[in-house]
Amino acid sequence: MFMSSREQGYWWRLLVWVFALVPALVQADSIGHGLKPGLGEPLTEFKGTIISVDGSNLPEGSGSVAAGKVLYETRCAACHGMKGEQPGNQLAGGRGSLSGPRPLKTVGSYWPYATTLFDYIWRAMPYDEQKSLDPDQVYAVTGYVLRLNGIVGLPEVLNAKNLAGIKMPNRGGFVEMSE
Amino acid sequence: MTNGLIHRRDLLKAGSIGLIAGSATPVMAREPWMTGPGQPMSGSGESSRYVSLAREQVGAHAFGPGAGSSSSPLQHLNGTITPSRLHFERHHSGIPDIDPDKHRLTVHGAVRQPLRFSYADLLRYPQETHLYFLECSGNSYRNTLAEPQNQTAGELNGLVSGSEWTGIPLHYLLDEAGVTADAEWIVAEGADAAGLTRSVPLSRALDNVLVALYQNGEPLQPAQGFPVRLFVPGCEGNISVKWLQTIKVQAKPGYTRDETSKYTDLLQDGQAEMFTLQMEVKSVITSPSGRMRLPEHGVYDVSGIAWSGAGTIAKVEVSADGGKNWVTAALQSDARPLALTRFRIPWHWQGQSAVLLSRAFDDRGNIQPTREAALARYSSAVIYHYNGYQSWRVGKSGEVSNVYV
């Protein structure tokens, strides 16, 4: 077979390309070609909203249980009841009921971490205007909901330093299933 | 022995049941739709005006507007794909109206480089397509109530749906951010008003979890997480976080409200199981089913769906006598892992009273339990992860109703 030098150059270049691609194809994932475009925009700092149970990334601020009572009664009580007793949306009571015929799961009877209460109020409450409370207000309301549950040793003012240290009554009530 | 269920080996014998010899006169039918052009083409299709399909149990939770669920009308569907518009819903604060140009997905936490992706970025990544079921952990909870509810298959069990999901393997994005050695979990957060947040073990997240962008071939519907959702195959629906906006990689779970106070399963001794993510082996006969009426004596196609969060459906058995005798049904779709599988078995009904039920077996050795055994696992207050038998009583006049055996 006769080829001009120009044609030979073409075939050589093609051959080089094919061999250059082979390792990339071999290394690719078994499903999909695995050639990823790498489009993620690098961020220098991103804090996010997910509060760790050790409290290490709680926002600055503080709120008193007394301020929380005022906020709770104006922003929360309509759905949860003045003392957290509203059926369906109950926040308080139920201690000692979990092994009985009518278990009542509330912040006081069931929730294992006080930081989770802060996280949830901050992201998802009040239901008609989520994310409208600032951190001071969230500390305050968190404190009042804990007060309604008679949490022992509750500080009068909650902040990033003392929230994670609050011992919830049902902290030991869970079995974590492993995979 | 089988109360009318016809085993495959007896199909030939039974082949002529119901055949009536007739003397049809050949006449060219002239219905109106045969004698002139029909409707023109259209931009988007819809069901026949003679077909009425809608989600069931469309109601709001007492918690507030937008919180609640609706279920797929299982008794009107066949095959293994649920049309996207009929896929069950469970929202914790309604369906957000997200502008995809403003939506971002951020991967951060225990990674070498936090990254942010736009919707347009995500669409350029290589994607995979899989058939998977999705089941709400509260599916079939009405069958945990003391008295059987006289409802349809969809009302009782329709918080399960099957779809073809297309998305980016999550590990592509995690690899790009570079997960650090101490990482054991991811925590996924939605952009809805509830900001629903759930944790997934990293081992699972690196395995078969998708960042899903398409359902049944089209971009996700808003009710299913548009523009982007997490999809965790085989696991309780709510960890497939819709409207996904953040993935935080951590050494520990997030212990968020929904995985501590909400989707945990109380045991009878007062302890509760946390991170019961995988859904169980289960099946439901969708036809005949609750509130239907068999119009006449004859042969019926008893058909339903089976699925398992642990693997692939290996076998489904059907009983027509309340569970005394069982016959193996035919699996009439490809039995794929973590997907709905359709089963069928012919049944000759001659007016006898019957209780139809099914039980599923998966390839990991799991067997669907009786209602009694399923209820015994947890405290009586638990409404999650119920996978006991669904039994249907067929009365002498052909009426079908929910019953406990």
Side-chain angles (χ1 to χ4, degrees), chain B residues 199-230:
Chain B
S199 305
V200 181
L202 186 66
S203 55
R204 194 180 271 279
L206 293 173
D207 180 20
N208 60 359
V209 174
L210 294 177
V211 173
L213 297 159
Y214 296 86
Q215 180 187 8
N216 296 329
E218 64 178 339
L220 300 178
Q221 296 200 345
Q224 291 306 320
F226 181 81
V228 54
R229 80 178 301 171
L230 199 68

Side-chain angles (χ1 to χ4, degrees), chain B residues 111-165:
Chain B
V111 295
R112 282 192 297 278
Q113 175 60 63
L115 295 173
R116 183 164 61 188
F117 301 87
S118 70
Y119 180 56
D121 291 339
L122 295 173
L123 290 174
R124 282 180 53 193
Y125 276 72
Q127 299 183 40
E128 291 180 7
T129 297
H130 297 275
L131 291 176
Y132 288 131
F133 77 82
L134 189 69
E135 184 181 21
C136 177
S137 59
N139 192 27
S140 313
Y141 82 87
R142 288 181 185 84
N143 280 338
T144 70
L145 303 175
E147 294 300 320
Q149 307 295 298
N150 185 17
Q151 291 179 305
T152 67
E155 288 168 337
L156 290 164
N157 305 291
L159 295 180
V160 66
S161 303
S163 291
E164 185 198 79
W165 296 96

Side-chain angles (χ1 to χ4, degrees), chain A residues 28-54 56-57 79-80 87-91 97-107 109-113 115-117 119-131 170-179, chain B residues 61-67 92-94 104 106 108 113-117 120-122 124-128 130 171-172 175-176 185 187-190 192-197 201 203-204 235 246 248 250 252-258 260-262 264-278 379-381 384:
Chain A
D29 299 18
S30 55
I31 308 172
H33 53 68
L35 296 175
K36 304 163 198 88
L39 300 174
E41 175 196 343
L43 302 176
T44 49
E45 193 195 18
F46 185 84
K47 291 188 85 163
T49 63
I50 299 160
I51 301 300
S52 303
V53 287
D54 64 6
S56 57
N57 62 345
C79 293
H80 293 287
N89 294 329
Q90 203 151 348
L91 294 175
S97 71
L98 297 183
S99 57
R102 261 181 280 283
L104 180 59
K105 301 195 292 184
T106 71
V107 171
S109 73
Y110 200 62
W111 290 44
Y113 299 104
T115 47
T116 304
L117 186 58
D119 176 284
Y120 186 65
I121 295 171
W122 202 22
R123 73 175 57 251
M125 288 291 142
Y127 193 80
D128 60 347
E129 201 181 352
Q130 287 102 333
K131 302 168 184 70
N170 196 42
R171 171 70 188 83
F174 293 88
V175 185
E176 291 191 27
M177 308 305 282
S178 59
E179 297 246 313
Chain B
H61 191 280
F63 194 68
H92 296 76
S93 189
R104 295 290 181 273
T106 302
H108 74 118
Q113 175 60 63
L115 295 173
R116 183 164 61 188
F117 301 87
D121 291 339
L122 295 173
R124 282 180 53 193
Y125 276 72
Q127 299 183 40
E128 291 180 7
H130 297 275
H171 72 83
Y172 289 3
D175 289 349
E176 190 172 327
W185 292 80
V187 189
E189 177 191 35
D192 56 330
L196 186 104
T197 308
S203 55
R204 194 180 271 279
C235 288
T246 312
K248 187 178 182 190
Q250 302 195 151
K252 295 201 161 189
Y255 297 107
T256 65
R257 178 261 184 181
D258 284 287
T260 54
S261 80
K262 179 74 180 162
T264 44
D265 310 307
L266 196 61
L267 302 169
Q268 284 162 2
D269 66 1
Q271 292 270 303
E273 291 183 349
M274 192 186 278
F275 305 119
T276 47
L277 305 183
Q278 190 170 288
S379 154
S380 60
Y384 303 128

